């Protein structure tokens, strides 16, 4: 018998073996996630789940294929330090832009 598809807004920390989850939240462009339509980028739910499950605040998260910076941004939001590596110059610029911390005064 096939397991039912479970609708979730966020991935639960503990996922049962062989379960099928469908992320129903379409809130994927909050913060700076929507800065650029980078090809094949993560939806933020996936790195957010892994960061919450396997790290704690102030841990360091390594993303060896940083791409558009989704994992780096989620790390910052969840109060983790992060290190991203990507050989592509545009990816490097995009990651720096998306994760740049600004003071409220600078934003205004």
């Amino acid at each position: 018998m096939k397991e039912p598809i479970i609708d979730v807004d966020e991935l639960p920390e503990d996922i049962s073996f062989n379960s099928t989850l469908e992320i129903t939240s379409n809130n994927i462009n909050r913060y700076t996630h929507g800065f650029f339509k980078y090809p094949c980028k993560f939806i933020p739910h996936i790195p957010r789940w892994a960061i919450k499950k396997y790290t704690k605040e102030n841990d360091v998260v390594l993303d060896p294929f940083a791409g558009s910076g989704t994992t780096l941004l989620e790390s910052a939001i969840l109060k983790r330090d992060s290190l991203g590596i990507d050989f592509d110059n545009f990816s490097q610029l995009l990651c720096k832009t998306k994760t740049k911390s600004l003071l409220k005064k600078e934003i205004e």
Side-chain angles (χ1 to χ4, degrees):
M1 179 175 183
K2 187 175 179 179
E3 295 291 323
I5 296 174
I6 304 165
D7 291 339
V8 295
D9 284 333
E10 290 290 328
L11 293 171
E13 190 170 310
D14 293 315
I15 300 173
S16 301
F17 182 72
N18 277 343
S19 60
T20 302
L21 305 176
E22 180 178 345
I23 301 170
T24 56
S25 168
N26 62 0
N27 188 12
I28 59 172
N29 289 322
R30 66 185 181 144
Y31 302 104
T32 57
H33 283 304
F35 266 16
F36 185 78
K37 294 181 187 275
Y38 193 86
C40 303
K41 70 179 180 177
F42 270 137
I43 59 170
H45 304 74
I46 296 169
R48 184 182 313 132
W49 168 82
I51 293 165
K52 285 181 174 180
K53 183 166 177 71
Y54 297 110
T55 68
K56 59 188 180 306
E57 284 190 14
N58 301 314
D59 278 354
V60 178
V61 175
L62 171 65
D63 186 353
F65 305 99
S68 70
T70 302
T71 299
L72 305 177
L73 179 55
E74 285 298 316
S75 296
I77 292 166
L78 295 170
K79 299 183 174 122
R80 275 66 164 178
D81 292 322
S82 63
L83 176 62
I85 302 167
D86 206 296
F87 73 92
D88 182 67
N89 290 333
F90 181 76
S91 291
Q92 294 169 16
L93 176 62
L94 185 57
C95 289
K96 287 177 188 175
T97 303
K98 287 176 66 172
T99 58
K100 172 75 174 155
S101 293
L102 297 173
L103 300 172
K104 185 175 182 178
K105 187 176 182 178
E106 292 174 304
I107 295 170
E108 293 169 350

